[in-house]
Amino acid sequence: MTNPPEATPRESTPPTDAPDALDAGTFERIVEPRSEARLPLGDGTWHQLARAYVWVQMISTGSVAVLVLAAALVLQIWLDQTWVWIPAGIILALCVWSLAITPRQARSYGYQLRRDDLVFRRGILWQRMVAVPYGRMQLVDITHGPLDRGFGIAQLKLVTAAASTGVTIPGLKQAAAESLRDTLVAVAETRRTGL
């Protein structure tokens, strides 16, 4: 069985109300793993996360590290509990590791709007690529926390009937999330399935 030829990028992308909104303030290109066995990007236009996503993740992780360090110091000084440095050290090491890989990890996220589905990819070491058919989408949800709102970003969640194919795209600019939501709803309405 042969696969149908890939559509050209112009034909494969559903129309959006504000195409520039998807790429405003984002990274320039997706960072790919160096291995020959990596998942290929394929053709088409890949959209990426907002640069502010890195700052939100760094502030969140840094806050956790500061709280763990403060709790460990309080337990050490006032209660003379030296054992607390074992779990605190593990948590602090994980926070430092997370701070170190966050910028590269954020550049590995990307999504592509094709004629029949949305493709989402992420990961450098553990790569994941998911194609969500427009007709299978049941819900498109935008959420953002206080720190996200401060940096003007949001998270878009696509819910399908199968839990394993649900996709969450973090770190989208607010305008990009709203434009993408409207596009996905419009495309799903034309298919008369999903949403």
Side-chain angles (χ1 to χ4, degrees):
M1 180 175 186
T2 61
N3 291 332
E6 237 355 89
T8 62
R10 185 179 302 259
E11 294 174 344
S12 66
T13 305
T16 60
D17 295 333
D20 293 336
L22 297 180
D23 295 321
T26 63
F27 294 105
E28 294 175 7
R29 66 178 184 86
I30 292 179
V31 173
E32 287 189 87
R34 295 184 187 110
S35 168
E36 293 298 322
R38 67 181 179 264
L39 292 172
L41 286 179
D43 297 332
T45 303
W46 285 92
H47 305 284
Q48 291 195 264
L49 306 184
R51 294 175 189 267
Y53 173 73
V54 173
W55 288 108
V56 170
Q57 291 302 104
M58 300 276 258
I59 291 170
S60 299
T61 304
S63 299
V64 169
V66 167
L67 288 174
V68 168
L69 184 61
L73 285 173
V74 165
L75 288 172
Q76 170 69 40
I77 293 171
W78 278 299
L79 300 176
D80 197 29
Q81 301 291 322
T82 57
W83 62 267
V84 75
W85 289 106
I86 295 170
I90 293 170
I91 294 171
L92 290 173
L94 290 174
C95 287
V96 168
W97 173 254
S98 179
L99 287 170
I101 67 168
T102 293
R104 183 168 168 86
Q105 182 185 34
R107 291 192 316 267
S108 73
Y109 282 79
Y111 63 95
Q112 182 181 43
L113 300 170
R114 299 192 306 186
R115 185 177 54 222
D116 297 321
D117 56 12
L118 178 139
V119 177
F120 174 73
R121 80 174 303 276
R122 69 176 171 91
I124 299 293
L125 292 177
W126 289 274
Q127 302 167 44
R128 181 177 187 209
M129 189 175 290
V130 179
V132 182
Y134 297 130
R136 301 289 183 192
M137 292 180 199
Q138 294 182 339
L139 175 71
V140 180
D141 183 27
I142 296 176
T143 59
H144 44 81
L147 196 55
D148 293 337
R149 283 193 302 274
F151 281 87
I153 63 173
Q155 156 177 300
L156 186 98
K157 184 175 184 180
L158 308 171
V159 179
T160 63
S164 62
T165 59
V167 169
T168 300
I169 306 173
L172 296 174
K173 285 283 198 183
Q174 185 68 35
E178 291 172 3
S179 175
L180 185 57
R181 177 200 57 206
D182 294 343
T183 299
L184 294 174
V185 169
V187 170
E189 283 296 320
T190 63
R191 305 298 165 91
R192 299 286 183 214
T193 59
L195 295 177

